[in-house]
Amino acid sequence: MIFTPPFHNLKPLQPVSFPSMHTAGFEKTVLNYLAYLKMEVTRISDKQLSIEQMLLDINSSSNIPSSTIQDNEVDYFIYNWPISDDEGLNNLEQKIRTDLNFKKQICKLARICGMSLKNLIYKIMKKVFDDKLLIQYTYYGLRNKNNFSLLAINKSIFVLINTDLSNTLSNT
């Protein structure tokens, strides 16, 4: 025997009434958001054009062949980062202290952006160092750990952040 529910007790579905989304207040809010978004896109586009122009100016006025800088960047920055052992850290420290070209390339870390200073530092540290290495350090060398503040990369990160902050403040 097949059970069939009684259909005679069902009431027809009534349309659910939602507040009208075509109210004047809603339309005004949406138009304000669209205007804001349009202004933001325009601002970003203008900033992008100015960055492209600066890059063209730098490339045209530079006496250093661009392929040399790019080759060094690919060789060291991409293949050896994040640094995960003491040997890699020692190589990085030696390269920062002796290679002027490498110091300029450290500034390329400014491409990493964050919404706050804390976020920017976190992203830079995450890009450069592996957690296995950083766990051996505290900033001042407390709790029988190594002193990070004495490293050349620490000074480079501070210079980078100060330069990035001053550029950001002067562009706003």
Side-chain angles (χ1 to χ4, degrees):
M1 178 161 107
I2 299 175
F3 176 74
T4 58
F7 290 107
H8 63 279
N9 290 340
L10 292 177
K11 297 178 184 174
L13 291 175
Q14 298 295 324
V16 179
S17 63
F18 290 104
S20 174
M21 296 191 79
H22 298 288
T23 63
F26 177 75
E27 289 175 359
K28 184 177 180 180
T29 303
V30 169
L31 288 175
N32 283 338
Y33 281 128
L34 287 174
Y36 171 76
L37 289 174
K38 182 178 180 182
M39 289 178 56
E40 282 297 306
V41 168
T42 303
R43 186 183 64 79
I44 291 169
S45 177
D46 291 344
K47 194 170 263 193
Q48 180 184 11
L49 288 173
S50 68
I51 290 171
E52 287 174 352
Q53 186 59 45
M54 283 191 287
L55 288 174
L56 288 173
D57 293 344
I58 290 171
N59 285 338
S60 66
S61 66
S62 176
N63 294 332
I64 302 171
S66 61
S67 62
T68 306
I69 294 174
Q70 290 173 353
D71 291 343
N72 290 343
E73 180 182 23
V74 169
D75 180 40
Y76 196 84
F77 274 58
I78 293 177
Y79 293 119
N80 291 336
W81 283 10
I83 297 170
S84 59
D85 58 7
D86 288 329
E87 180 182 345
L89 180 62
N90 290 336
N91 290 340
L92 174 69
E93 289 291 303
Q94 186 63 31
K95 203 157 180 82
I96 289 173
R97 287 188 175 103
T98 59
D99 190 352
L100 295 177
N101 220 10
F102 187 74
K103 286 181 184 179
K104 292 176 186 174
Q105 291 177 7
I106 290 271
C107 293
K108 304 224 186 234
L109 283 173
R111 293 182 195 156
I112 299 173
C113 38
M115 297 303 288
S116 65
L117 182 60
K118 180 181 175 182
N119 194 357
L120 175 64
I121 293 172
Y122 175 79
K123 286 184 177 183
I124 290 172
M125 296 296 280
K126 195 73 168 164
K127 175 81 174 165
V128 176
F129 300 107
D130 188 54
D131 290 340
K132 295 174 191 171
L133 179 67
L134 287 180
I135 205 164
Q136 301 170 15
Y137 286 84
T138 62
Y139 192 75
Y140 293 112
L142 303 175
R143 296 185 296 271
N144 296 325
K145 294 189 177 190
N146 297 324
N147 190 340
F148 188 82
S149 66
L150 299 177
L151 298 176
I153 187 67
N154 178 57
K155 293 173 183 79
S156 298
I157 290 171
F158 272 101
V159 167
L160 170 74
I161 289 171
N162 287 333
T163 303
D164 190 46
L165 272 177
S166 65
N167 287 342
T168 302
L169 292 176
S170 66
N171 289 336
T172 56

